[in-house]
Amino acid sequence: MKKRLLRSGLLALTILAASAQAHHSFAALYDANKPVRLKGKLTKIEWTNPHSYFHLDVVNSKGEVSNWAVEGAGPGALSRRGFKQGDLKIGDTLIVDGYLTKKPGVRLVDGRLVTLPDGRVINGGTPGDGGPGDKGKGQEPAPAAARS
């Protein structure tokens, strides 16, 4: 019985550790001193928890294409802000205002504001992550129009 209880406890700790690693604070991965604006064509969407990701092909000033991953809030948070899965399709052009990752050479951005093809601007940040515009644990960032 003790071995079974110990195994159950270890399994629970393993699951909690994996969950904590997947859901991170802004400062753990991104640099608030490195804002970036990307404009590119949507190549992939991942509506996953605790973070959603979408990928953009971005063309630089030399005409070279590179694929960037953009991290955002989970699907539930995005949906509450008016950003639904059906709003995007592969090939759409998006504008992302966000922050670069601290990892050198990695094309990953925390997407704080996303301009959709129809012109709407959606807050993409994860509530409670401590990043720019975050109002605290569990609170949604103010809509872009309210901050203007």
Side-chain angles (χ1 to χ4, degrees):
M1 182 70 169
K2 285 185 180 182
K3 285 184 181 181
R4 188 175 189 191
L5 186 59
L6 180 62
R7 284 186 197 144
S8 295
L10 288 174
L11 178 61
L13 284 174
T14 302
I15 290 170
L16 286 173
S19 175
Q21 186 175 15
H23 187 82
H24 54 81
S25 71
F26 174 89
L29 192 56
Y30 299 101
D31 189 338
N33 295 313
K34 293 186 179 176
V36 66
R37 174 172 268 199
L38 299 175
K39 182 176 181 179
K41 294 210 181 280
L42 184 66
T43 61
K44 182 179 179 181
I45 306 169
E46 300 173 62
W47 290 92
T48 55
N49 280 311
H51 301 284
S52 60
Y53 292 88
F54 57 93
H55 303 261
L56 299 175
D57 275 348
V58 177
V59 181
N60 68 17
S61 59
K62 298 177 185 177
E64 302 164 331
V65 178
S66 55
N67 193 261
W68 286 77
V70 179
E71 180 181 300
L78 294 174
S79 179
R80 286 188 296 276
R81 297 175 198 162
F83 188 6
K84 308 247 188 290
Q85 192 169 1
D87 289 342
L88 299 176
K89 63 183 181 305
I90 302 301
D92 282 348
T93 298
L94 304 177
I95 299 170
V96 176
D97 292 297
Y99 296 88
L100 294 173
T101 183
K102 291 179 177 180
K103 298 178 181 181
V106 176
R107 291 186 187 106
L108 175 63
V109 171
D110 178 72
R112 296 316 256 191
L113 295 176
V114 180
T115 304
L116 302 178
D118 65 6
R120 287 183 295 144
V121 178
I122 303 295
N123 292 305
T126 300
D129 71 355
D134 182 46
K135 294 181 146 204
K137 188 164 180 62
Q139 296 183 14
E140 298 290 333
R147 291 196 318 243
S148 302

